[in-house]
């Protein structure tokens, strides 16, 4: 694995214990210039993860707590009338940061949600006809409580497509839980983290993702996978072309993290589940989407 | 129903593409910069820089009226300078100007294409001036770049520069067979379509048809090739390598010129000994004369022998001309007609009495003709005459001045004064000009005769032997004859007196140091390559085309036959190129078959690859299950990954992989 | 699949200009009887000829499929996705997609990959919008030959919903039904969001802060006191013609969905029971589009 990324992951791994794969996927998503959706119960460390990621990568971090009375202006910012200059001046909102944690996104109204999602998609914000570019890199981590909780506005399917990956942190294992219970205070540990990367070097890494080779054989495989999702009887509709592109990008980023200069089918298999699980809807009688995806990837032959 | 789809803006030319255009245009205009006046070069350079600034500072292109004004003024200036806008020199100058002006209205892709096409035409224009190998290589590279820029304009995004360079290279290379076919079989017409403008062959240098002091020493510094000679068999020694071209019998005391034509042609002579066979490739000099070793005994087709045993072409030689000859170094020319005798004894009326007295003194010693010749040569040897490349200017009677006062001169001084002496003594004699010597090129096994080898010598008529060549220069500067003009230049440059050193000392003095030797050899190799280039490409003409057709089996080839060959060849070319270019590049991957065979071999050790298992996962699993085979499995699968997933699928790699799998055994 | 038999080719205007230049070059070569000039002229002519094959190759073996298209409302642009698949081992460069001589897409497709491109088509009428016939072309590499495919009919539709306009505000239905069903009702106190002000909105719901900032009038929407249930009924709009009714119903469906209400839709012969959410909205809009 890439040594700088390795170091960063090690550092975060000391704080978020018990689920190294989720950490790696989160980093992979960032390298692939995508946005991340974490779906889990409160208190499993979503906020800490976002915070730690921003700190280790040396990026600016903002947190937006989504509530039902959150207005779009609370996210993107407002124009304020300035008496001296007799003009409106744009006051950037909390979205102007490299890592933005949108906490409990399903608690806000669809209006507020779509303001965030539009900014994510376009990487810019338009206010009063003026366009403001968001910083580079720009990475949104949204957290969402599972849907069966009361008083929430679940994100519509079309909006879910804007997130490159969705991961679950889950409860830590017994051993990891013990570490949590006996170890130091997470907040102090957070502030002790040393940045191993910086914005510009992260951008460079993101560019290197583009240089990872994808042979025709691999592209054939990716297309086979995508077509399989479209044909699969247990899903309502398959992966969109946008999702396909996201899958390939994520596989590239994963290959970079594995220290390779080309993508292997294994990389595609690894990132398929987080990339596809929020985009595919299983029929009622089917088992969980994750299981479905696993069986699907085993139905496509690798040559 | 019209959907009223929104249309895209026409593609815009970005900075990088425009820079490419400027680069190519600068290369093309630069190729012409030596031939067009400096002010024009500067104007075009300013136009290029202007366009560069316009694109890089997002300035506006000049308006229509400004453009029109600039164009009109510059065209008039050019017209005033050249007097015309047509013909080779003025035409190319004008086109270079147009190339610069086109950048002022370079907006659309069509303007861009016109710029490239103009560049193509200017490259062709370059060939009208210079067809050397050097220029050709330069032009091919520029044409390649120009085509690349054209491709970049058509497809501005998405592909790398390397891809575009490769593609335009491919285009040019795949066009080569068809170009050769057309080159060989496109009907050639001898002659011109509309008559050549007067400037077509200006700037060619060489001998002139008269000789006055200084006319040959002008050439002594020019390394331009006059002609090249290939000998069949043993080449004659240096002192026999006199290439005659012009016989000068008339003089007014200063200038020597050819006699008027008329009288019977005295081209018969009695050859003695064995002849020398050789082929001359003459560089165009825009004159009729051809060069031949003393004395030519054959007459190639299209040439004629004229008085003085000189060979003439039917028309001025404006293209490289190749002819084969046979000469006899030893000969007897027989009797001299009365008319000829009178012609070759003529002296100006006011001929110097001082010279007459000198000759009279020799005669008084009752010497015969040969004795007189010897006395004259002794006079040069003993009275302090020196050979110099920069003779002093002579006033008054040049012969008298030279013989009694300056005593420093070049071959033309010696030849003309010697002939004057002989005529004063009543011996028929004349001046011959041409070239002497020639340098051997080991790389091509031929002799190069340059303009610097231009020479003048004398011929005297003796009753017993007919015309005999006498070279008074050889008395003063034997090195000139034995080692060539280059040796003389080097010796004089070092301050060595000519005619003083013995042979070993001379050789030592002439030995080159190693860098100079290497430089000289490189020059010779380059000349040999150029010569081959000339022979095989540039000199292809109607006759050679005719021969080629005859070789193909057409007895009396007509234009219709050429058309048949052209069309047949074209169809063959189209068939071959179409199959190559349009072949489908896909199909089942043989690499996968080899990999499957490898997996089958592993089944025997109870490792079965799952159909969805990627190569790396399979490799890891197999190594854990069969640590003994770990190394082999690892290396084979790594090869497979490199070929199939890293895209390094060249033939040698695939073959190596195949062999490796084939040799893989489980014991 | 664009087979070989389906491609056409003609020289472009640039090709014509080049042929004139080449002819001039040939004349100059003949006149000066210059071998190298001949060779150069022939080389360029041969290159122009060979480029024809490259132009053909650049389009041969290209596969075109239409992807799905997100439904749109009438009056919007439908974005059809077309997927270009390059099965060959060479990149396809400077491709253009035309409709009736108008260029709508320009793209390159790398070797062995697919490239999707969006073709925007104005959707003027509700119903099914067929993807227009497309023509592919390219003048790669030298711009002197232009090759194009025959008109390609693609099997893809876009669903176009009625234009969501209508003079009657949503409150019209709400109010009528509230009075009809349950008498007066509070509007609830959960903030739903903002929408443009419509005449008749209660002043206390106007977002005054925004007005103070000089923005347009916005109305705060509230809801959530229990579930609102609305019946969107064809018969509510007695005196309108068919299209106007569909547009009105469409607007209501959109409004109801945005307010996250539970609603039902009744058209003659069609009854969609009370429900809410994306799927329900889509189902309702489909019916309106195809009615």
């Amino acid at each position: 694995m890439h040594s700088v990324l390795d170091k960063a992951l090690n550092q975060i791994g000391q704080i978020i214990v018990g689920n190294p794969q989720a950490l790696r996927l989160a980093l992979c998503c960032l390298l692939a210039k995508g946005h991340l959706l974490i779906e889990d119960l409160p208190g499993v460390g979503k906020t800490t993860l976002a915070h730690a990621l921003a700190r280790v990568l040396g990026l600016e971090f903002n947190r937006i707590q989504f509530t039902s009375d959150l207005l779009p202006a609370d996210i993107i910012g407002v124009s304020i009338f300035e008496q001296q200059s007799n003009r409106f001046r744009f006051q950037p909102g909390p979205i102007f940061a490299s890592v933005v944690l949108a906490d409990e996104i399903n608690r806000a109204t669809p209006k507020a949600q779509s303001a965030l999602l539009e900014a994510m998609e376009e990487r810019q914000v338009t206010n009063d006809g003026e366009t403001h570019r968001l910083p580079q890199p720009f990475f949104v981590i949204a957290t969402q409580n599972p849907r069966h909780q009361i008083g929430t506005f679940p994100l519509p399917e079309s909006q879910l497509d804007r997130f490159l990956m969705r991961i679950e942190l889950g409860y830590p294992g017994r051993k990891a839980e013990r570490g949590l219970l006996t170890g130091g205070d997470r907040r102090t540990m957070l502030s002790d983290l040393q940045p191993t990367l910086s914005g510009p070097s992260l951008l460079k890494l993101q560019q290197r993702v583009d240089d990872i080779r994808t042979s025709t054989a691999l592209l054939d495989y990716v297309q086979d996978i995508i077509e399989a999702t479209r044909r699969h009887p247990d899903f309502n509709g398959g992966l969109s072309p946008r999702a396909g592109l996201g899958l390939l990008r994520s596989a590239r980023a994963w290959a970079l993290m594995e220290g390779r200069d080309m993508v292997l089918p294994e990389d595609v298999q690894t990132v398929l589940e987080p990339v596809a699980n929020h985009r595919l809807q299983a029929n009622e009688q089917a088992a969980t989407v994750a299981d479905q995806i696993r069986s699907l990837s085993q139905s496509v032959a690798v040559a | 129903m019209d959907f009223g789809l929104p249309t895209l803006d026409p593609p815009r030319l970005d900075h990088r593409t425009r820079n490419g255009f400027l680069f190519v245009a600068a290369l093309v205009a630069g190729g012409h910069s030596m031939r067009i006046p400096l002010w024009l070069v500067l104007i075009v350079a300013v136009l290029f820089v202007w366009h560069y600034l316009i694109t890089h500072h997002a300035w506006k292109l000049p308006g229509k009226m400004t453009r029109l004004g600039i164009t009109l003024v510059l065209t008039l200036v050019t017209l005033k300078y050249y007097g015309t806008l047509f013909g080779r020199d003025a035409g190319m100058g004008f086109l270079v100007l147009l190339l610069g002006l086109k950048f002022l209205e370079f907006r659309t892709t069509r303007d861009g294409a016109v710029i490239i096409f103009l560049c193509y035409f200017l490259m062709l224009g370059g060939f009208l001036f210079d067809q050397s190998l050097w220029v050709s290589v330069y032009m091919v590279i520029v044409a390649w770049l120009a085509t690349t820029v054209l491709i970049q304009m058509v497809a501005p995004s998405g592909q790398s520069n390397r891809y575009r360079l490769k593609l335009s290279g491919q285009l040019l290379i795949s066009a080569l067979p068809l170009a050769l076919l057309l080159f060989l079989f496109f009907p050639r017409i001898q002659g011109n379509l509309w008559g050549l403008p007067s400037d077509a062959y200006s700037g060619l240098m060489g001998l002139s048809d008269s000789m006055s002091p200084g006319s040959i020493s002008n050439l002594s510094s020019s390394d331009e090739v006059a002609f090249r000679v290939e000998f069949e068999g043993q080449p004659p020694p240096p002192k026999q390598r006199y290439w005659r071209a012009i016989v000068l019998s008339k003089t007014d005391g200063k200038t020597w010129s050819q006699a008027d034509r008329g009288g019977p042609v005295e081209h018969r002579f009695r050859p003695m000994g064995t002849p020398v066979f050789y082929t001359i490739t003459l560089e165009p000099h825009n004159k009729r004369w051809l060069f031949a070793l003393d004395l030519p005994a054959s007459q190639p087709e299209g040439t004629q022998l004229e008085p003085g045993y000189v060979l003439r072409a039917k028309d001025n030689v404006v293209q490289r001309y190749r002819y084969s000859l046979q000469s006899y170094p030893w000969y007897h020319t027989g009797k001299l007609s009365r008319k000829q005798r009178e012609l070759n004894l003529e002296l100006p009326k006011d001929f110097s009495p001082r010279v007459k007295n000198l000759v009279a003194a020799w005669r008084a010693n009752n010497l015969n003709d040969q004795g007189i010749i010897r006395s004259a040569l002794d006079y040069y040897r003993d009275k302090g005459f020196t050979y110099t490349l920069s003779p002093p200017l002579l006033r008054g009677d040049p012969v008298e001045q030279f013989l009694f006062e300056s005593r420093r001169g070049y071959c033309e001084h010696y030849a003309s004064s010697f002939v004057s002496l002989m005529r004063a003594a009543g011996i028929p004699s004349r001046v011959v000009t041409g070239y002497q010597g020639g340098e051997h090129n080991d790389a091509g096994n031929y002799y190069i005769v340059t303009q610097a080898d231009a020479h003048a010598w004398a011929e005297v008529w003796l009753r017993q032997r007919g015309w005999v060549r006498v070279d008074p220069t050889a008395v003063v500067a034997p090195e000139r004859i034995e080692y060539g003009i280059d040796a003389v230049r080097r010796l004089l440059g070092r301050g060595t007196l000519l005619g003083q050193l013995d042979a070993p000392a001379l050789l030592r003095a002439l030995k080159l140091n190693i860098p100079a030797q290497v430089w000289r050899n490189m020059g010779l190799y380059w000349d040999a390559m150029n010569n081959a280039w000339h022979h095989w490409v540039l000199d292809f003409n109607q006759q050679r085309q005719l021969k080629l057709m005859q070789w193909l089996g057409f007895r009396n080839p007509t234009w219709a036959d050429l058309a048949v060959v052209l069309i047949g060849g074209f169809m063959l070319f189209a068939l071959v190129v179409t199959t190559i270019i349009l072949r489908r590049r896909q199909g089942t991957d043989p690499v996968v078959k080899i990999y499957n065979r490898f997996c089958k071999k592993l089944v025997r050790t109870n490792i079965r690859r799952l159909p969805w298992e990627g190569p790396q996962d399979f490799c890891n699993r197999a190594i854990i299950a069969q640590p003994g085979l770990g190394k082999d499995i690892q290396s084979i699968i790594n090869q497979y990954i490199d070929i199939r997933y890293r895209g390094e699928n060249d033939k040698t790699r695939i073959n190596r992989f195949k062999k490796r799998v084939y040799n893989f055994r489980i014991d | 699949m664009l087979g070989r038999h389906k491609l056409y080719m003609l020289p472009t205007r640039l090709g014509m200009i080049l042929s004139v230049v080449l002819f001039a070059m040939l004349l100059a070569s003949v006149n000066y009887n210059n071998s190298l000039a001949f060779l150069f002229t022939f080389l360029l002519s041969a290159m122009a000829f060979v480029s024809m094959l490259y132009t053909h190759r650049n389009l041969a073996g290209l596969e075109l499929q239409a992807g799905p298209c997100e439904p749109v409302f009438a009056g919007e642009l439908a974005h059809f996705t077309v997927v270009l698949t390059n099965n060959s081992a060479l990149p396809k460069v400077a491709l253009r997609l035309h409709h009736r001589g108008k260029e709508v897409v320009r793209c390159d497709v790398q070797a062995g990959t697919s490239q999707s491109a969006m073709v925007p088509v104005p959707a003027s009428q509700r119903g099914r919008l067929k993807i227009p016939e497309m023509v592919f072309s390219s003048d790669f590499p030298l711009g002197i030959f232009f090759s194009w495919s025959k008109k390609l009919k693609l099997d893809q539709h876009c669903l176009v919903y009625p234009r969501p306009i209508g003079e009657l505000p949503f409150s019209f239905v709400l109010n009528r039904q509230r009075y009809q069903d349950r008498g007066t009702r509070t509007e609830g106190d959960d903030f739903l969001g903002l929408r443009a002000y419509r005449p008749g909105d209660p002043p206390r719901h106007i977002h005054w802060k925004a007005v103070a900032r000089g923005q347009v009038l916005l109305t705060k929407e509230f809801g959530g006191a229990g579930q609102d249930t609305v019946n969107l009924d064809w018969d509510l709009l007695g005196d309108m013609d068919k299209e106007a009714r569909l547009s009105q119903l469409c607007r209501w469906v959109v409004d109801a969905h945005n307010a996250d209400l539970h609603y039902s839709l009744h058209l003659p012969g069609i009854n969609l029971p009370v429900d809410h959410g994306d799927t329900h909205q889509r189902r309702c809009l489909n019916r309106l589009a195809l009615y």
Side-chain angles (χ1 to χ4, degrees), chain C residues 130-203:
Chain C
K130 263 198 87 172
I131 186 166
E133 288 175 337
M134 293 285 166
V135 171
F136 261 102
S137 76
S138 178
D139 58 356
F140 187 77
L142 297 186
I144 55 176
F145 287 102
F146 178 79
S147 177
W148 72 97
S149 69
K150 72 169 204 176
K151 279 184 187 170
L152 295 164
K153 280 185 186 142
L154 295 168
D155 187 27
Q156 191 61 249
H157 299 275
C158 177
L159 206 55
V160 182
Y161 302 142
R163 206 179 283 257
I165 47 163
E167 283 157 16
L168 299 173
F170 187 50
S171 47
F172 171 77
V173 213
L174 267 183
N175 294 339
R176 267 183 82 158
Q177 286 179 358
R178 273 177 198 141
Y179 292 126
Q180 278 174 2
D181 301 348
R182 279 161 240 169
T184 36
R185 259 187 63 173
T186 54
E187 296 211 52
D189 41 28
D190 275 4
F191 178 66
L192 287 180
L194 292 170
R195 62 165 167 75
Y197 172 79
R198 289 190 288 258
D201 285 339

Side-chain angles (χ1 to χ4, degrees), chain B residues 114-402:
Chain B
V114 167
I115 285 173
I116 294 296
F117 298 163
L118 202 54
C119 284
Y120 284 153
F121 198 92
L122 277 166
M123 282 180 235
L124 178 117
F127 292 138
L128 300 184
F129 293 93
D130 189 344
Q131 299 193 72
S132 68
L133 191 53
W134 188 239
V135 166
S136 315
V137 169
Y138 178 78
M139 291 300 183
V140 165
I141 291 173
V142 176
W144 178 35
L145 292 176
T147 310
T148 309
V149 170
L150 192 60
I151 291 173
Q152 183 173 4
M153 184 184 76
V154 173
S157 62
Q159 306 300 325
S160 64
N161 273 337
R162 224 181 109 174
Y163 170 83
R164 284 187 279 263
L165 279 170
K166 201 177 131 195
L167 184 78
S168 58
Q170 269 178 5
L171 265 171
L172 281 169
I173 287 169
S174 51
L176 207 56
L178 181 57
L180 282 178
L181 183 80
L182 285 164
F183 180 74
L184 293 178
F185 297 108
F186 186 84
R188 297 294 185 89
I189 312 163
Q190 210 76 323
N192 328 110
L193 292 180
W194 60 80
L196 292 179
S198 56
D199 59 8
Y201 302 114
S202 62
L204 297 172
M205 65 186 312
L207 290 175
S208 57
D209 50 6
S210 64
M211 185 186 84
S212 51
S215 62
I216 291 182
S217 53
N218 272 343
L219 297 173
S220 72
S221 58
S222 165
D223 280 329
E224 221 163 281
V225 175
F227 55 91
R228 295 179 179 83
V229 196
E230 293 153 53
F231 288 104
E232 277 172 51
Q234 191 66 28
K239 62 177 176 228
Q240 280 180 14
R241 288 206 294 266
Y242 281 84
W243 310 97
R244 70 193 287 125
I246 308 159
V247 170
L248 306 170
S249 307
K250 273 177 70 173
T251 180
D252 60 356
K254 288 188 178 103
T255 305
W256 289 80
S257 52
Q258 285 173 285
D260 304 326
R261 283 216 208 130
V265 181
E266 26 112 86
H267 61 261
R268 300 204 163 273
F269 63 91
R270 188 149 54 82
M272 292 170 354
T274 47
V276 180
F277 294 93
Y278 56 99
T279 303
I280 286 184
T281 312
L282 178 64
E283 295 294 321
H285 53 29
N286 204 18
K287 300 277 164 44
R288 280 183 57 226
W289 51 70
L290 305 174
F291 301 92
L293 218 51
D294 283 349
L295 283 174
S298 63
Q299 192 182 339
E301 207 183 321
T303 66
Q304 59 195 59
L305 270 170
E306 287 193 1
Y309 309 100
V310 290
L311 212 53
R312 292 285 180 265
K314 287 228 167 71
D315 299 299
N316 284 3
V317 178
V318 293
Q319 286 196 305
R320 279 168 54 104
Y321 182 57
R322 202 174 151 87
Y323 53 96
S324 295
L325 276 179
Q326 163 185 7
S327 287
Y328 284 90
W330 304 103
Y331 44 85
H332 191 299
T333 59
K335 278 198 267 178
L336 197 63
S337 69
R338 237 185 73 191
K339 209 172 170 187
Q340 282 290 330
R341 192 184 167 78
E342 275 166 19
L343 180 69
N344 288 309
L345 280 172
E346 208 175 74
L347 280 172
K349 288 206 178 73
D350 55 347
F351 188 67
S352 158
R354 224 176 141 188
V355 179
K356 273 185 191 159
N357 290 342
L358 179 70
V359 177
W362 294 338
R363 268 286 182 222
N365 287 348
N366 207 12
L367 289 172
N368 58 4
D369 287 357
Q370 287 185 11
I372 298 272
I373 294 170
R374 210 171 302 121
S375 305
L377 294 178
D378 286 346
Y379 181 79
Y380 288 124
R381 186 183 300 121
D382 301 334
K383 298 286 192 235
F385 281 83
T386 51
Y387 181 82
T388 173
L389 297 179
S390 45
L393 209 63
L394 298 174
R395 280 187 208 89
D397 185 339
V399 174
E400 189 187 308
Q401 277 261 315
F402 175 67

Side-chain angles (χ1 to χ4, degrees), chain C residues 4 9 22 30 48 50 89 132 134 140 172-173 205 244:
Chain C
R4 260 166 224 195
M9 193 173 324
L22 286 174
V30 170
V50 170
M134 293 285 166
F140 187 77
F172 171 77
V173 213
H205 285 175

